[in-house]
C-alpha cells in the first residue's frame, strides 16, 4: 500500500475499515476464480487497492427525470472502475441539470453466482429483449461482433470527431460489427489493459547484461545467466516466465507474440500461413523448452505475482502494475528492435438499439458521450486507474507530468479479434489448444497451422485442385456426358432413324434431352461459395429438368388416349401452351423458394474441414417444397395411370415399358437424393461426390430409357423398315428383361 492509500486508510471509520477487511477477505477467496478475460481487475488490487466512489465524487440530490439502467461485471468490487464512472456522470448530470441518472447493476461473485462466462451469456440474452431491460452495457471487448447486431450504430449518433479521437485501428478490431451488408461501430473502449516485460535487474547487473530489445536477445541473455547460476548451484532459476495460461490470457499472449513478428511497426497482423507466424511460434517453442518449461509457462497468475516478489525469474511477462522494484518494466519485445506487441484486454461501453422511447435514447447517447469523453478518460488516466486508447492524451504536457507518456506511447496494441471475430469462444479455445500442442508437444508447425486454418476456413468444391480434385473430375465427366447427349441429337434428323423416334415430335425430344442435361449439371451450383440463391436454384433446376424430361411424355400419353376426348384434342393442338403451363408452375415455385425457403448452414467439423450446405427453412421452406413435390407427384401419378390404360397399345408397346423403367428408377433416385441431403456426412468431398453421383444417375437413366436406347437400336439395325424393326426385336426376351428389371 502506498502513502496515499495509507492516508486514506487512516481516515476511514471503524465500520468502513471492517467492511473493507471483509471485502478483502472475499476477494482473497475469489482470487482462485480469476478469469482470464479481466486481468485488469486482478492487477488493480495491487495498483489501486481501495478506489472509493468519493474519488470521483458522489451523485447526491440528482433530479431523476430520466433513469438509465446499466450493467457490468467485476471480480473485485473494491478495485473496479464502473461505479466511479457512473457516479461521476451522475454528479456531472446534476451540476449541468441534464435530469439523467444512471443506475448501475454491478454483478460480482459476492452478490451473484455467475462468473464472466455466465455474464457473457446473460448479456447475449438481455440484448435480444424488447424493450431492453438495460440501456447501457459494459462488455468484454472481444464480443463486439457477437453483441453488435443488438447495439446502436454509434457512427450515426455521435459526432465524427468523438470516435476519431480513439485509436482507429484498435477501435476497428475491438469495437466494430461486420454484418453481411453493414459495418458499424457499436462500442468505445472504457479501458484496455496490456502486458509488459519485467526484467530482474539484480541478475542483469550482476552479469552486466542490458534489458533485451528482441526475443532472440532475451533468449541468449537468459540462457547465459542460467548457465552461470548453475555453476553457483542455483538450479531453480527460471529464464522466462511467460503468460501461456490455458485460458483467454494464454490466447492474448500468443496473439501479441505473433504480432511482434510483423515486418514493421505499421504492418498488419501477420497472416496465419506466413513465415512471420511460423518464425514467431518456433521462437515461442524454443523459449518455452530451453529457458522455461510447460509447467512454468502455464502457471496461474498467483504464481507470477509470487515470482515477481521472490525474484526467481530473470524475465516475466505480466500485466502492468507496481511489484518488486528490482524488476524493471519495459514494453514487450519483438523479433527486431522497435517492433513490439501487446494485446489489449478490457471493456467497451455500448447502447441497446432497441430503446424505443426517443427521450431515453437521447439520454443514453448523452451519457455515453460524457463517459467516453476525452475529459473523463483524462481524469481516469491522471488518477492512474486506466490506460486510455485516446492516443492524443499522451501528448498533453500536464498529463505527462503525472504519468510516463513516453512509455505509453511506445505500447503497440492489438485486439484479440484480429485472429477471428466470429464465434470467438469456439475459435479461441481451439486456437490456443493447437498452438500449445505445438509449443509444448510434438506436433509439426505445418499441421498446427493447418488445424488452425480449418477452424475458420470454409471448404468448397472448385476446379482448383489445391484442396481436392473432385471438382475438376466432376466437371470433365459431366461435360463429356452432356457432349455425347447433344451429339446424339443428330440421329433425330437422319431419315434412316425416323421410325425409332416416332414416339415424340423432334422438338419435344430435344426438350427431353435438355432436361437430362439440366439435371446433370445441378451439382455445379455447389462449386465455390454456397449462397441462398444457389440453394433455391438447385431445387428449381431439378424441377425444370423433371418438367423437360417427363412433360413431353405426358403430352404423348394424353393425345394417345384410346378414347377420343376434348382434353386430348386440345393438348394435341396446343402443345406449346401445354408445356408453358408446367414451366409457369416451375417459375412460380422458383419465386416462392426465394421467399426465405432456404438458409445456408455451416457444418463445423471438429479437427476437420468445415463446409456449407443448403438447409430448408422449417416453416416457409417446407410448405413451398411440399407444394412443389405434390405438383410433381400429380404429374407422375397421371403418367402412371395413363401408362396403365395404354399398356397394351401396340403403337407404344415398347415405349411404355422403357418409360416405366425410367419413372421407377427416377423415383428411387430422388428418394436417395432426399435421404443424402438429410444424412450427416462430415466430409465435404464425400457429401458432394454422393450427391453428384445421384444426380448423374438420375440424368443418365432418363436419357437412356427415353432416348439413348433408341439410338442404340438404330445403330444395331441395318434396315429402316419399321415393320422389320418390330418383327426382329425378340419380344419375349425384351418383356422378360423388362419384368426382371
Amino acid at each position: 500500500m502506498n502513502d496515499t492509500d495509507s492516508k486514506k486508510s487512516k481516515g476511514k471509520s471503524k465500520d468502513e475499515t471492517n467492511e473493507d477487511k471483509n471485502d478483502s477477505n472475499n476477494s482473497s477467496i475469489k482470487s482462485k476464480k480469476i478469469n482470464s478475460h479481466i486481468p485488469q481487475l486482478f492487477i488493480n488490487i495491487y495498483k489501486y487497492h481501495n478506489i472509493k466512489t468519493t474519488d470521483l465524487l458522489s451523485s447526491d440530490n440528482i433530479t431523476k427525470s430520466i433513469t438509465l439502467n446499466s450493467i457490468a461485471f467485476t471480480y473485485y468490487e473494491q478495485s473496479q472502475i464502473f461505479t466511479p464512472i457512473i457516479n461521476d456522470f451522475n454528479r456531472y448530470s446534476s451540476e449541468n441539470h441534464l435530469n439523467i441518472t444512471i443506475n448501475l447493476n454491478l454483478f460480482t461473485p459476492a452478490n451473484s453466482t455467475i462468473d464472466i462466462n455466465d455474464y457473457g451469456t446473460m448479456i447475449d440474452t438481455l440484448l435480444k429483449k424488447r424493450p431492453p431491460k438495460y440501456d447501457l452495457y459494459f462488455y468484454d471487448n472481444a464480443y463486439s461482433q457477437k453483441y453488435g447486431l443488438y447495439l446502436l450504430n454509434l457512427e450515426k449518433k455521435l459526432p465524427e470527431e468523438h470516435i476519431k479521437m480513439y485509436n482507429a485501428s484498435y477501435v476497428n478490431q475491438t469495437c466494430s460489427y461486420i454484418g453481411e451488408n453493414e459495418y458499424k461501430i457499436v462500442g468505445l473502449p472504457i479501458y484496455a489493459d496490456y502486458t509488459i516485460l519485467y526484467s530482474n535487474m539484480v541478475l542483469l547487473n550482476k552479469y552486466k547484461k542490458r534489458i533485451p530489445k528482441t526475443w532472440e536477445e532475451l533468449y541468449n541473455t537468459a540462457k547465459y545467466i542460467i548457465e552461470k547460476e548453475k555453476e553457483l548451484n542455483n538450479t531453480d532459476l527460471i529464464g522466462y516466465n511467460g503468460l501461456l495460461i490455458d485460458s483467454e490470457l494464454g490466447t492474448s499472449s500468443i496473439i501479441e507474440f505473433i504480432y511482434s513478428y510483423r515486418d514493421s511497426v505499421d504492418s498488419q497482423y501477420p497472416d496465419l500461413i506466413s513465415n512471420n507466424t511460423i518464425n514467431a511460434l518456433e521462437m515461442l517453442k524454443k523459449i518455452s523448452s530451453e529457458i522455461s518449461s510447460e509447467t512454468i509457462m502455464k502457471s496461474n497468475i498467483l504464481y507470477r505475482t509470487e515470482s515477481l516478489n521472490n525474484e526467481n525469474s530473470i524475465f516475466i511477462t505480466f500485466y502492468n502494475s507496481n511489484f518488486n522494484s528490482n524488476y524493471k518494466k519495459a514494453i514487450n519485445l519483438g523479433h527486431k528492435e522497435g517492433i513490439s506487441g501487446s494485446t489489449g484486454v478490457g471493456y467497451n461501453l455500448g447502447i441497446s438499439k432497441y430503446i424505443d422511447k426517443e427521450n431515453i435514447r437521447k439520454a443514453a447517447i448523452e451519457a455515453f458521450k460524457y463517459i467516453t469523453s476525452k475529459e473523463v478518460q483524462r481524469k481516469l488516466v491522471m488518477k492512474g486507474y486506466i490506460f486510455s486508447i485516446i492516443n492524443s492524451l499522451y501528448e498533453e504536457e500536464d498529463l505527462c507530468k503525472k504519468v510516463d507518456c513516453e512509455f505509453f506511447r511506445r505500447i503497440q496494441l492489438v485486439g484479440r479479434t484480429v485472429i477471428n471475430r466470429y464465434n470467438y469462444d469456439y475459435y479461441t479455445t481451439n486456437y490456443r489448444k493447437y498452438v500449445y500442442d505445438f509449443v509444448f508437444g510434438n506436433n509439426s508447425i505445418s499441421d498446427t497451422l493447418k488445424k488452425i486454418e480449418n477452424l475458420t476456413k470454409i471448404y468448397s468444391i472448385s476446379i482448383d485442385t489445391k484442396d481436392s480434385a473432385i471438382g475438376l473430375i466432376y466437371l470433365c465427366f459431366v461435360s463429356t456426358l452432356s457432349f455425347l447427349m447433344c451429339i446424339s441429337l443428330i440421329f433425330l434428323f437422319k431419315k434412316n432413324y425416323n421410325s425409332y423416334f416416332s414416339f415424340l415430335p423432334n422438338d419435344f425430344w430435344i426438350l427431353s434431352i435438355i432436361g437430362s442435361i439440366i439435371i446433370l449439371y445441378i451439382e455445379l451450383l455447389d462449386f465455390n461459395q454456397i449462397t441462398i440463391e444457389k440453394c433455391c436454384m438447385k431445387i428449381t433446376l431439378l424441377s425444370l429438368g423433371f418438367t423437360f424430361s417427363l412433360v413431353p411424355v405426358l403430352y404423348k400419353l394424353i393425345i394417345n388416349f384410346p378414347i377420343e376426348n376434348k382434353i386430348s384434342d386440345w393438348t394435341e393442338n396446343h402443345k406449346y401452351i401445354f408445356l408453358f403451363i408446367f414451366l409457369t408452375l416451375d417459375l412460380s415455385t422458383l419465386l416462392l423458394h426465394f421467399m426465405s425457403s432456404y438458409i445456408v448452414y455451416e457444418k463445423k467439423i471438429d479437427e476437420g474441414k468445415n463446409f456449407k450446405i443448403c438447409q430448408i427453412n422449417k416453416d416457409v421452406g417446407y410448405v413451398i417444397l411440399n407444394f412443389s413435390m405434390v405438383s410433381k407427384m400429380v404429374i407422375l401419378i397421371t403418367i402412371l395411370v395413363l401408362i396403365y390404360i395404354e399398356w397394351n397399345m401396340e403403337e407404344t408397346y415398347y415405349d411404355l415399358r422403357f418409360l416405366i423403367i425410367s419413372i421407377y428408377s427416377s423415383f428411387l433416385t430422388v428418394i436417395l437424393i432426399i435421404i443424402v441431403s438429410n444424412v450427416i456426412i462430415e466430409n465435404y468431398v464425400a457429401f458432394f461426390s454422393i450427391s453428384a453421383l445421384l444426380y448423374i444417375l438420375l440424368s443418365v437413366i432418363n436419357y437412356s430409357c427415353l432416348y439413348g436406347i433408341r439410338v442404340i437400336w438404330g445403330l444395331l439395325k441395318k434396315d429402316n423398315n419399321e415393320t422389320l424393326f418390330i418383327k426382329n426385336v425378340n419380344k419375349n426376351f425384351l418383356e422378360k428383361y423388362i419384368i426382371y428389371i
Side-chain angles (χ1 to χ4, degrees):
M1 183 180 295
N2 57 31
D3 292 340
T4 304
D5 291 332
S6 297
K7 291 176 183 178
K8 287 180 181 179
S9 181
K10 291 176 183 178
K12 294 177 183 177
S13 67
K14 184 176 180 180
D15 290 337
E16 285 177 314
T17 303
N18 290 333
E19 181 182 331
D20 289 341
K21 286 180 180 178
N22 289 334
D23 288 338
S24 178
N25 290 333
N26 287 336
S27 296
S28 177
I29 293 170
K30 298 298 180 181
S31 64
K32 295 181 181 179
K33 298 182 180 180
I34 292 169
N35 187 279
S36 56
H37 287 274
I38 322 292
Q40 171 71 34
L41 302 182
F42 179 84
I43 300 305
N44 280 342
I45 291 179
Y46 295 90
K47 291 173 68 175
Y48 317 129
H49 192 67
N50 284 313
I51 300 176
K52 303 306 290 181
T53 58
T54 52
D55 284 351
L56 292 177
L57 302 183
S58 62
S59 53
D60 297 333
N61 303 320
I62 295 176
T63 304
K64 298 182 179 179
S65 297
I66 296 177
T67 300
L68 302 174
N69 293 308
S70 63
I71 184 172
F73 176 87
T74 181
Y75 271 103
Y76 302 103
E77 188 170 3
Q78 286 182 307
S79 57
Q80 49 84 22
I81 64 171
F82 305 116
T83 300
I85 287 175
I86 296 301
N87 285 341
D88 182 49
F89 170 78
N90 288 338
R91 169 187 169 278
Y92 167 81
S93 174
S94 176
E95 290 178 351
N96 291 273
H97 309 292
L98 299 181
N99 297 331
I100 302 170
T101 302
I102 301 178
N103 289 332
L104 174 65
N105 190 357
L106 182 64
F107 285 88
T108 70
N111 65 21
S112 68
T113 58
I114 68 171
D115 61 15
I116 188 63
N117 296 318
D118 297 328
Y119 176 71
T121 302
M122 182 175 66
I123 290 292
D124 192 37
T125 302
L126 290 171
L127 278 168
K128 297 174 183 177
K129 288 190 174 182
R130 301 187 191 186
K133 184 175 181 179
Y134 296 96
D135 308 296
L136 299 170
Y137 292 83
F138 293 97
Y139 67 91
D140 189 312
N141 65 16
Y143 297 114
S144 287
Q145 185 65 37
K146 182 178 182 179
Y147 303 147
L149 183 63
Y150 315 106
L151 294 174
L152 198 64
N153 185 351
L154 299 176
E155 290 181 300
K156 294 182 178 180
K157 301 299 180 180
L158 299 181
E160 184 179 0
E161 58 273 13
H162 188 94
I163 296 176
K164 282 189 172 182
M165 67 183 176
Y166 284 84
N167 183 310
S169 175
Y170 189 78
V171 167
N172 180 61
Q173 293 168 7
T174 64
C175 304
S176 64
Y177 168 80
I178 302 175
E180 188 172 348
N181 296 306
E182 69 174 329
Y183 170 91
K184 60 181 182 179
I185 301 299
V186 296
L188 285 178
I190 295 301
Y191 75 86
D193 206 2
Y194 55 93
T195 59
I196 59 173
L197 180 69
Y198 293 85
S199 300
N200 189 326
M201 297 309 298
V202 173
L203 290 171
L204 290 181
N205 291 333
K206 179 179 178 180
Y207 293 101
K208 298 181 180 179
K209 296 291 184 179
R210 69 173 186 174
I211 296 175
K213 303 293 184 181
T214 65
W215 290 115
E216 186 69 35
E217 186 179 356
L218 178 144
Y219 167 79
N220 292 330
T221 299
K223 194 161 189 179
Y224 174 82
I225 294 176
I226 288 172
E227 292 299 324
K228 289 295 183 181
E229 287 294 303
K230 280 183 180 179
E231 295 174 4
L232 302 175
N233 293 322
N234 181 4
T235 58
D236 297 328
L237 187 62
I238 299 168
Y240 176 67
N241 191 338
L243 201 57
L244 296 184
I245 300 173
D246 193 13
S247 67
E248 189 64 14
L249 289 182
T251 301
S252 299
S253 296
I254 297 168
I255 291 170
E256 64 191 20
F257 203 96
I258 294 174
Y259 188 59
S260 73
Y261 268 74
R262 65 196 187 281
D263 294 326
S264 66
V265 173
D266 298 324
S267 296
Q268 297 297 313
Y269 191 82
D271 292 334
L272 177 65
I273 310 298
S274 67
N275 288 331
N276 306 72
T277 300
I278 292 172
N279 293 336
L281 293 180
E282 286 180 341
M283 173 55 77
L284 188 58
K285 184 180 180 72
K286 181 179 176 182
I287 289 173
S288 299
S289 61
E290 297 186 29
I291 62 172
S292 188
S293 68
E294 179 177 359
T295 302
I296 298 300
M297 296 291 271
K298 286 186 173 181
S299 59
N300 61 30
I301 290 179
L302 290 177
Y303 180 81
R304 281 167 176 75
T305 59
E306 291 170 1
S307 296
L308 284 164
N309 290 323
N310 61 30
E311 303 178 15
N312 67 340
S313 298
I314 304 172
F315 301 108
I316 299 175
T317 292
F318 199 46
Y319 287 89
N320 189 9
S321 188
N322 296 316
F323 293 102
N324 192 331
S325 60
N326 287 330
Y327 279 95
K328 189 170 182 179
K329 300 177 186 179
I331 63 169
N332 285 338
L333 308 179
H335 74 111
K336 58 185 177 181
E337 191 171 344
I339 296 179
S340 176
S342 294
T343 304
V345 179
Y347 268 82
N348 293 345
L349 179 63
I351 305 173
S352 171
K353 77 173 186 179
Y354 295 135
I355 301 174
D356 50 4
K357 295 182 179 179
E358 185 64 24
N359 63 328
I360 295 179
R361 185 186 296 111
K362 287 182 178 180
I365 294 170
E366 188 67 29
F368 185 96
K369 283 195 293 186
Y370 177 78
I371 291 172
T372 59
S373 67
K374 193 172 185 178
E375 290 71 21
V376 171
Q377 287 280 298
R378 181 187 295 111
K379 188 186 301 184
L380 295 171
V381 172
M382 291 277 279
K383 290 181 178 289
Y385 295 166
I386 68 165
F387 168 65
S388 177
I389 310 301
I390 301 177
N391 294 340
S392 60
L393 282 175
Y394 300 106
E395 303 293 337
E396 296 181 0
E397 185 176 346
D398 290 342
L399 185 142
C400 293
K401 291 178 181 178
K402 297 275 188 178
V403 299
D404 187 352
C405 290
E406 176 59 27
F407 183 87
F408 289 127
R409 284 196 294 264
R410 292 167 57 211
I411 295 171
Q412 298 169 23
L413 277 184
V414 63
R416 284 173 286 166
T417 53
V418 291
I419 55 171
N420 179 52
R421 64 169 57 237
Y422 305 98
N423 200 1
Y424 181 79
D425 289 329
Y426 168 82
Y427 183 87
T428 186
T429 301
N430 288 281
Y431 175 86
R432 185 171 61 249
K433 175 184 178 299
Y434 295 146
V435 170
Y436 287 178
D437 286 345
F438 167 72
V439 173
F440 304 119
N442 298 318
N443 286 12
S444 68
I445 186 68
S446 58
D447 287 345
T448 297
L449 295 182
K450 189 65 177 176
K451 286 182 177 179
I452 295 173
E453 182 184 37
N454 286 345
L455 289 174
T456 54
K457 182 175 180 179
I458 303 299
Y459 285 83
S460 61
I461 303 298
S462 70
I463 59 173
D464 188 351
T465 58
K466 180 181 178 182
D467 294 320
S468 172
I470 190 64
L472 184 60
I473 294 171
Y474 165 81
L475 189 59
C476 292
F477 186 70
V478 297
S479 297
T480 302
L481 284 179
S482 60
F483 176 75
L484 292 175
M485 289 179 183
C486 291
I487 287 295
S488 68
L489 286 171
I490 63 175
F491 293 100
L492 280 177
F493 306 101
K494 286 191 173 186
K495 292 183 179 179
N496 290 340
Y497 292 85
N498 285 347
S499 60
Y500 300 103
F501 301 105
S502 60
F503 183 68
L504 293 176
N506 282 0
D507 50 358
F508 273 23
W509 279 121
I510 294 172
L511 287 177
S512 179
I513 291 177
I514 289 175
S516 295
I517 292 174
I518 288 174
I519 294 172
L520 198 62
Y521 280 97
I522 284 176
E523 277 301 300
L524 194 63
L525 289 170
D526 280 346
F527 274 44
N528 301 318
Q529 184 179 0
I530 303 293
T531 63
I532 292 177
E533 291 74 20
K534 286 184 177 181
C535 295
C536 296
M537 285 300 298
K538 280 188 72 174
I539 191 67
T540 303
L541 288 182
L542 180 60
S543 181
L544 281 173
F546 179 94
T547 298
F548 282 148
S549 295
L550 294 182
V551 168
V553 172
L554 178 62
Y555 161 81
K556 177 64 176 180
L557 294 174
I558 290 175
I559 66 173
N560 215 35
F561 196 78
I563 301 174
E564 187 174 343
N565 61 87
K566 292 182 179 180
I567 295 177
S568 297
D569 293 339
W570 182 90
T571 302
E572 186 173 14
N573 295 324
H574 302 87
K575 65 177 182 179
Y576 293 116
I577 296 177
F578 177 78
L579 176 64
F580 182 74
I581 290 171
F582 292 96
L583 291 178
T584 302
L585 184 63
D586 286 334
L587 294 175
S588 300
T589 304
L590 172 62
L591 294 175
L592 290 174
H593 277 304
F594 275 99
M595 295 170 58
S596 303
S597 62
Y598 279 94
I599 59 173
V600 176
Y601 173 70
E602 183 178 321
K603 297 194 75 167
K604 287 282 187 184
I605 311 299
D606 289 339
E607 298 196 8
K609 298 178 179 180
N610 308 317
F611 61 101
K612 292 182 177 180
I613 61 171
C614 297
Q615 192 172 69
I616 194 139
N617 186 313
K618 292 184 178 180
D619 298 321
V620 179
Y622 277 125
V623 173
I624 298 171
L625 183 62
N626 289 335
F627 170 77
S628 180
M629 291 179 66
V630 167
S631 65
K632 299 307 176 188
M633 286 300 297
V634 170
I635 295 174
L636 279 175
I637 292 171
T638 304
I639 290 176
L640 291 173
V641 170
L642 291 173
I643 288 175
Y644 176 77
I645 294 172
E646 302 172 20
W647 185 251
N648 292 315
M649 291 180 64
E650 185 175 357
E651 180 186 351
T652 57
Y653 186 85
Y654 298 106
D655 297 303
L656 296 185
R657 278 147 182 79
F658 278 104
L659 180 58
I660 203 72
I661 295 173
S662 174
I663 290 175
Y664 285 144
S665 300
S666 298
F667 183 73
L668 290 174
T669 306
V670 170
I671 290 176
L672 287 175
I673 290 172
I674 294 172
I675 292 173
V676 168
S677 64
N678 289 281
V679 169
I680 299 174
I681 300 176
E682 296 191 342
N683 183 293
Y684 79 106
V685 174
F687 183 81
F688 172 85
S689 300
I690 295 172
S691 298
L693 182 62
L694 290 174
Y695 282 118
I696 291 171
L697 184 63
L698 179 61
S699 172
V700 170
I701 288 173
N702 280 336
Y703 170 80
S704 300
C705 293
L706 296 179
Y707 186 86
I709 191 66
R710 302 168 192 277
V711 174
I712 295 173
W713 281 350
L715 290 172
L716 294 176
K717 291 295 174 181
K718 304 294 183 180
D719 201 324
N720 183 47
N721 188 287
E722 185 174 359
T723 303
L724 289 176
F725 166 70
I726 296 173
K727 288 181 179 180
N728 289 335
V729 173
N730 190 330
K731 181 176 180 180
N732 292 331
F733 173 80
L734 187 59
E735 286 180 334
K736 290 179 180 178
Y737 177 74
I738 297 298
I739 293 170
Y740 175 77
I741 293 178

